[in-house]
Amino acid sequence: MIRSRLLRSASLLAVAALACAGAVSAPAGPASAARAATAERAVTTAYTCTTTAGGRTTTYTGRITLDVALPRSVGTGDRVAARRVSGSVVVPDEVADMLRQFGVDAVSADITSSAARFGPANIPVRAFSVPRTRIPADGPFTLRAATRTRAFTAPAQPGRYRVLVPTRVTPAITAFSGSSSFGPIVSQCRPARAGTSLGTVRVTR
């Protein structure tokens, strides 16, 4: 129970950060500056995660609502610069209490993912880490992480293209209790629905 609750919380953070990573990059260079206006969009993304630990397999669905800034438009073939992205999730009282009950006083995670998609283009996402975060004596707490996308090239043909979330997110979570730790425990997470989109971006000549 403790492991499935812990993994669910940390994996929600992975979903938040990685989904944002596929969405908030803005075009680079003066030729693209006029087209780089962004629009805030709110979406709810669900990932189904499977974890095997101690001979037991746990499957769960994590849902998170994201406010993301998508560029309204980019030019065909524009080089899109790397952009710092971040994500966070508040671990609620009920989960925090469960962790404290079992003596867990801190958690961390290392996270990798497949690329996000922008039409035919890949948006590579760098591996990143949730730093060791202490769990307070009472109340909820927040996990945070940051990473960067890699630069990529916009599609060569004009049109409207969907920005799709990564099809694979792999968080490896470690829990700490005093000087002891257990993990990493690895989850394999995939979108609960194929083709989950964060919105669309117009590509113009």
Side-chain angles (χ1 to χ4, degrees):
M1 176 66 75
I2 180 175
R3 293 189 177 189
S4 64
R5 291 295 185 92
L6 172 62
L7 288 164
R8 181 176 184 275
S9 298
S11 296
L12 284 175
L13 173 61
V15 171
L18 291 166
C20 287
V24 301
S25 295
S32 302
R35 291 187 287 249
T38 60
E40 292 291 333
R41 326 237 182 125
V43 297
T44 299
T45 303
Y47 274 71
T48 298
C49 300
T50 301
T51 303
T52 300
R56 178 180 176 184
T57 299
T58 301
T59 300
Y60 56 90
T61 298
R63 300 183 65 84
I64 189 159
T65 299
L66 304 169
D67 290 312
V68 299
L70 288 172
R72 295 181 185 276
S73 65
V74 296
T76 54
D78 276 353
R79 188 63 176 167
V80 182
R83 180 74 176 267
R84 183 181 186 277
V85 293
S86 61
S88 65
V89 62
V90 175
V91 180
D93 277 321
E94 60 195 75
V95 177
D97 286 343
M98 174 77 68
L99 299 176
R100 285 187 285 263
Q101 178 183 348
F102 285 89
V104 176
D105 54 35
V107 294
S108 68
D110 294 309
I111 301 166
T112 60
S113 84
S114 60
R117 296 283 293 176
F118 175 30
N122 283 327
I123 305 177
V125 181
R126 297 177 185 271
F128 66 105
S129 297
V130 180
R132 182 167 173 166
T133 302
R134 292 202 63 81
I135 300 173
D138 58 72
F141 65 98
T142 301
L143 296 175
R144 295 182 175 88
T147 186
R148 296 180 69 88
T149 65
R150 297 183 185 275
F152 65 97
T153 301
Q157 297 299 318
R160 295 189 67 86
Y161 293 90
R162 294 193 302 160
V163 178
L164 303 180
V165 300
T167 58
R168 176 186 51 79
V169 176
T170 306
I173 292 89
T174 300
F176 300 90
S177 178
S179 59
S180 300
S181 65
F182 66 84
I185 302 170
V186 179
S187 288
Q188 298 292 338
C189 304
R190 297 185 179 277
R193 184 175 60 185
T196 299
S197 172
L198 292 164
T200 59
V201 175
R202 184 182 178 191
V203 177
T204 61
R205 290 194 184 279

